[in-house]
Every structure is written in structure tokens, then in C-alpha cells.
Amino acid sequence: MTISYIQREMAAPPLPPEAVGDEDRKALAAATRALPLQRLVGNGMDYADAVALHRMADAGIPWITATTFLGEANLTRARRAESAGSGRSARDHYRHAAACFRFGQSTLYFDDAEKKALYGRALDAFADGAKLDDPVTEKIGLQVGGATIGGWLMRPAGTTAGPVVMIFGGADGWREEYHSGARYLVERGIGAFLVDGLGQGETRILGNHHLAAPPEETFAGVADALVSRSLATSVGIWGNSLGGNFAARTASIHAGIAACCVNGGAAEPIEVLDRFPRFIDRICAMMGQRDQEPARALMAALAIDGGCRAIRCPLLVIHGGQDPIFGVPNALSIYEKASSPDKTAVVWDDGDHCIYNHSHEKHSLIADWFVKRMSA
């Protein structure tokens, strides 16, 4: 009989500082509020890493120090597993590493060298995992309006073309964060395209393409490009958080959208600035500048209340009753005013923002809904 002892850490873990200043404590508390365990785990981080990250933050260890340590430990595990021929294990470790680096950089608003470096590590780790998928998750670049819009195309086994759902986030949760939910679609026979629009993720940080106006023309162009390049036979859209507003706006101008899901979005997203004034810095970063007045004007321009009447495709609006970012009436306004003959609204009474605290139930509901409306 053999007894094996698991080496949990690949290197010595970071030690708490001797003293933690008030401002550092406030920053760590803000990070743990913005990135609670349910969001971390539901959107790609291993549970043990999420618990360790919050524990280190409570001890005063800087957020990025902690996420970098956890990410590097996962990379070590991934490389060992890959060298041993354990491809699936390696793939999952790479994805966990990507999540650690991704949730590290998300606490940095503006695109300084540190944020770019962390984002690059997250992207590299995700790419290393993608090549081990079966079928391989393919990196796709689409030319839309003078910008290269990058995304990851996930296909069900045995298919070369079929219905595809575009999935995107908002101000800080970007495409790779939604891989967990995309898997529910793929398992049900629907393709998924994880995409960063203008001002988001790779399109912004590596491509330097920022958001200057409401983004629906860009997302509509992505949908058209997927069909014109024979990457999809039909296209649905699933927007999360501020991306839910983007999805509704896109459905309102593009009659070819097959189905639209709004998760945690709002008809008038400027509401968030009354609750969290610093959110404006996220919008400034999306725009590639630091002047708050243009950012505030853009948030006001994103109001879709009247335009909801132009939404005619099947529509699913889901929201959390305890969402601190966008209130329930703001979200349900999209549902109530849409002209879709097939529309559904689901509110979890105890749900948080984007229903992170009911991840499996949320993803199952969304995937089943798309399957019924997009399967051949």
C-alpha cells in the first residue's frame, strides 16, 4: 500500500505584512465585496483558490500578490499534468490559473503596465487550456468597423457549423469569465462565442480599441461576421451585467438576432452611479481616458427604455432581487417594454448581481432556454 501526500503549494505562500494601513484594508475589503466567493467560483476559479484568496485578503496580503501566487501554483500543476500526459487535468489547471490572474487584474481600473501584464498572463493560461479542449476552443478574430474583435469559439463535438450564442460581459467581467456558462450551451449542442467588444478585454488591452459610443453596432457586426464566415448558422446573444444592456440594444437594431438573454442588465445603467460613484472610473477605462464627464454622458446615452419596443426576438431577462448594482425595476423595464411575443422574466428573490449565488441553476435555465429557441 502506498500513501501519497499532496503538495498543496508549489512555492512558499506570501506572508502577511507586519502592518496593514487603513487604505490598504479598505482596498482589500472593496475587492472581496466586488469579487465574492460565489462569483469567483461560478466564473472559473477553483473553490480552494477562492477560499485561500479571501483568507489572504483578510490577513492583509495584497490582492494581486495573492492572485499571482495562486495563479502560478496552478500553472505549475498544469505543466506537471501535461508532462505526465494528463491533458484534461492540465486543461483545468490552466483554466484555474487564468481565473486567478484575471480576477487579479480586474481590481485595477486603468490599463497600466501591471494590469496589462496580469491580463496577458490570464490570456496565455486560458489559451494553453483551450488547445487541450476536445474539440479545441478556437481563437477567432473578426474585422468589424475598423477594429479586430477577438473571441473564443466553442463547438459541440462533431459539428462544424450550427447555432452559436455570443456571450459578453460589461465593464470588468470579460469573455473568459463566462466560459463556465458557455459549457452548458456546448453540452446541449449549441455553440458559444466568448467575445470582447470595444473597451473590453483583449480588444481593449491588447488591441487598443476603446468604447466611444453605445456598442450595439459592433456586436451586430460580430453577429453578421459569424454568419458570413460560416462560423454560425444563426446567432443568439447573452449579455451579462452592463453587457445585458448591450445585448438588449443589439437585439433592438438587428432583426437577425435569433434570441437574446439579459443577465443582470438594466434599461438605464446610469443608475449604478448613484449607488457606486467610483463605477464611473470603469467607464473611463473602457473609453481609454480619465475625464468623467464624457463617461457620464455615455452612461446616459446607454438608456434603452424607449428602444425596447424594437426588440422582437425571443427575450429572456433574469435578475437578482438583492442586486446592489442595478435594481429589479430597471431590469424588468426591458422585459415589460419589449415587443417580443416570446419573452420571459425570472427574478431570484435572494439573487445577487448576475445571480452568482445560483450559478448552476442560472446557467441551466439560460442554456435550456436557448436550446428550445435555437436548435434545428
Side-chain angles (χ1 to χ4, degrees):
M1 182 170 62
T2 301
I3 298 176
S4 297
Y5 293 90
I6 301 296
Q7 183 182 3
R8 296 306 309 162
E9 310 298 353
M10 303 298 112
L15 297 175
E18 294 184 1
V20 183
D22 289 343
E23 290 303 311
D24 291 334
R25 285 285 184 196
K26 289 179 181 178
L28 286 167
T32 54
R33 286 194 303 271
L35 297 167
L37 291 178
Q38 60 265 31
R39 177 176 176 181
L40 297 174
V41 175
N43 287 11
M45 186 177 279
D46 181 63
Y47 175 78
D49 290 336
V51 171
L53 174 57
H54 274 231
R55 185 178 65 244
M56 285 190 275
D58 289 343
I61 296 171
W63 189 265
I64 290 172
T65 300
T67 53
T68 299
F69 165 73
L70 294 168
E72 288 174 347
N74 276 295
L75 286 181
T76 299
R77 296 183 188 108
R79 289 163 183 156
R80 287 180 178 176
E82 193 168 12
S83 295
S86 301
R88 289 189 176 185
S89 296
R91 175 198 63 189
D92 293 341
H93 288 314
Y94 280 127
R95 291 254 162 77
H96 292 151
C100 292
F101 296 128
R102 185 172 67 249
F103 285 122
Q105 65 83 38
S106 69
T107 60
L108 302 172
Y109 284 22
F110 294 99
D111 300 348
D112 60 11
E114 186 175 32
K115 183 178 180 73
K116 290 181 178 180
L118 279 170
Y119 178 79
R121 297 194 75 180
L123 187 59
D124 289 345
F126 191 90
D128 285 339
K131 69 184 181 184
L132 298 175
D133 280 333
D134 184 17
V136 169
T137 293
E138 185 180 0
K139 185 78 173 294
I140 300 290
L142 303 173
Q143 298 300 314
V144 178
T148 300
I149 306 298
W152 297 100
L153 182 61
M154 301 168 60
R155 293 192 185 279
T159 65
T160 56
V164 170
V165 176
M166 292 166 45
I167 308 175
F168 45 86
D172 67 339
W174 296 329
R175 64 188 186 200
E176 289 85 8
E177 186 163 339
Y178 303 106
H179 173 267
S180 298
R183 289 167 52 196
Y184 284 69
L185 290 168
V186 174
E187 289 168 358
R188 289 161 173 78
I190 301 289
F193 186 57
L194 304 173
V195 60
D196 285 328
L198 300 178
Q200 298 177 316
E202 183 183 23
T203 301
R204 163 181 138 196
I205 294 178
L206 301 185
N208 204 35
H209 296 299
H210 295 95
L211 186 65
E216 58 268 22
E217 294 287 350
T218 298
F219 286 117
V222 171
D224 288 340
L226 288 171
V227 174
S228 67
R229 287 185 52 176
S230 299
L231 299 172
T233 54
S234 60
V235 177
I237 49 175
W238 168 1
N240 301 276
S241 189
L242 183 61
N245 172 273
F246 299 167
R249 293 184 67 90
T250 304
S252 75
I253 69 163
H254 195 317
I257 297 298
C260 173
C261 172
V262 175
N263 172 30
E268 297 186 11
I270 199 170
E271 170 194 31
V272 69
L273 300 184
D274 293 331
R275 302 180 178 195
F276 301 99
R278 282 207 66 194
F279 190 87
I280 196 68
D281 288 334
R282 296 282 187 192
I283 307 305
C284 288
M286 293 183 79
M287 299 178 74
Q289 51 85 42
R290 293 177 183 256
D291 187 345
Q292 293 187 357
E293 288 309 308
R296 188 173 296 275
L298 177 58
M299 287 291 279
L302 288 172
I304 190 183
D305 210 37
C308 290
R309 287 187 289 274
I311 301 175
R312 295 181 172 82
C313 68
L315 174 68
L316 173 64
V317 175
I318 66 172
H319 211 75
Q322 306 302 314
D323 189 331
I325 306 296
F326 300 124
V328 173
N330 199 349
L332 292 185
S333 179
I334 296 174
Y335 164 80
E336 291 163 354
K337 296 180 179 178
S339 299
S340 307
D342 174 6
K343 59 182 181 179
T344 303
V346 180
V347 176
W348 280 259
D349 287 345
D350 65 338
D352 58 9
H353 184 53
C354 289
I355 328 294
Y356 298 130
N357 58 333
H358 292 285
S359 182
H360 172 68
E361 185 179 9
K362 169 191 67 176
H363 289 149
S364 297
L365 184 151
I366 293 172
D368 290 343
W369 184 85
F370 272 115
V371 165
K372 290 178 180 178
R373 286 150 185 86
M374 294 187 65
S375 293

